[in-house]
Amino acid sequence: MRPMVYLDGRIVPAGEAMVSVYDHGLLYGDGVFEGIRVYHGRVFRLEQHIRRLYRSARAIMLDIPLTPSELIDATLATLRAGECTDGYIRLIVTRGVGDLGLDPGKCPKASIIIICDGISLYPAELYERGLEVITCATRRTPPTSLDPSVKSLNYLNNILAKIEVKRAGLLEGIMLNSEGYVAEATGDNVFVVSEGQLLTPPTHCGILVGVTRDAVMELARREGIEVQERVLTPVDLYAADECFLTGTAAEVIAVVKIDGRVIGDGAPGPVTKRLRVAFHALTETEGVPIYPEGAAGSSG
Ligand code: PXG
């Protein structure tokens, strides 16, 4: 695989893709994005990611200059150009190039960038052992300021929390909302297992509605596990039988210690393991094929 980038209609090797310093995505974080996985020559839940991208764009009054199906075609063409069968897609739509000044009206046309590259995952042994996390002092942006369900290019809220996490010598942390209820991890959603039920914060707690979160809730219901969206406190996390995170990059990963409290028996629990296996199976079977059946470059 070669990393390739689609940039406003042209597909070029990643090293040759350049954007203007006047792009408002760079100047102000004015834009939206998606992170998508490619497994075995298929794009996982591509339609769901595209839907979320257009929803985010609509929320910030950003006109994406391609239709959803044109954007899907451009994404698949970029993957084919790099002969990608397993990797990561970063879809970005910025406000585009304009004069200095916040006014998005200065930007006549949004810019579309599609990066197809590899992805760095957590080390394999962390999936076996589970993660230790903290709850961060930095609170998730309230929906009244910038709704976390909009996947915008403004990630400083999460980055400030990530800096706390790294200063604590850890890899991930849990963010509370401004009321002190559990929202999500810096780049993942949070689940707990408590009295046999799978619980996760509802969207009104101020979260990004994860594509992996949706998939895991579906899988759990299919496996006969009761799933509820419920407002959670840090104590609900500390007292849980199991805790895990979900995300495009992390997939399903157990959390075994939170703020020094051992969760359950301190190892990934049975429900977490079951859902991790079920999620893997889903990535093996589901997805939009990059290569038409039997075509050159097919993974099969
Ligand atoms: N919450 C936040 C704040 C996120 O950024 C998720 C939850 C999980 O959503 P999905 O749809 O991925 O299940 C995210 C997604 C990275 C990276 O490079 C981060 C995400 C996705 C892909 C890569 O750290 N975050």
Side-chain angles (χ1 to χ4, degrees), residues 93-299:
V93 185
T94 76
R95 191 74 66 178
V97 173
D99 292 345
L100 296 175
L102 284 181
D103 179 6
K106 290 170 180 292
C107 308
K109 193 172 179 224
S111 244
I112 298 181
I113 302 166
I114 308 169
I115 306 171
C116 298
D117 205 334
I119 185 169
S120 65
L121 306 169
Y122 286 129
E125 77 256 21
L126 280 180
Y127 288 92
E128 298 301 316
R129 283 195 281 123
L131 288 175
E132 174 176 356
V133 304
I134 51 168
T135 54
C136 300
T138 304
R139 297 289 172 93
R140 197 73 177 96
T141 316
T144 47
S145 300
L146 176 59
D147 192 325
S149 77
V150 174
K151 198 163 168 67
S152 84
L153 293 178
N154 279 268
Y155 253 58
L156 271 176
N157 177 227
N158 311 61
I159 290 164
L160 289 172
K162 193 75 163 185
I163 288 169
E164 291 181 46
V165 167
K166 295 204 71 182
R167 285 175 55 82
L170 301 174
L171 294 175
E172 191 43 289
I174 290 171
M175 299 183 75
L176 309 178
N177 64 19
S178 54
E179 295 179 284
Y181 296 111
V182 175
E184 58 184 335
T186 68
D188 297 305
N189 291 113
V190 182
F191 285 82
V192 296
V193 179
S194 194
E195 293 173 359
Q197 289 187 330
L198 187 62
L199 308 175
T200 194
T203 56
H204 69 74
C205 282
I207 61 168
L208 182 75
V209 183
V211 169
T212 321
R213 175 184 181 272
D214 282 348
V216 164
M217 289 166 78
E218 260 175 58
L219 288 171
R221 291 190 171 116
R222 213 184 285 170
E223 300 251 325
I225 299 164
E226 195 186 328
V227 185
Q228 274 195 42
E229 292 180 88
R230 189 179 301 166
V231 176
L232 299 172
T233 66
V235 171
D236 292 324
L237 302 183
Y238 302 154
D241 300 316
E242 300 180 34
C243 178
F244 63 84
L245 307 180
T246 65
T248 293
E251 301 175 339
V252 176
I253 188 161
V255 170
V256 294
K257 203 186 252 190
I258 307 174
D259 295 335
R261 280 81 161 175
V262 172
I263 307 306
D265 60 7
V271 175
T272 305
K273 284 189 190 159
R274 228 168 108 194
L275 289 172
R276 180 162 171 72
V277 169
F279 183 76
H280 258 189
L282 194 67
T283 65
E284 307 251 317
T285 54
E286 215 188 52
V288 175
I290 302 169
Y291 305 97
E293 212 66 42
S298 161
S299 63

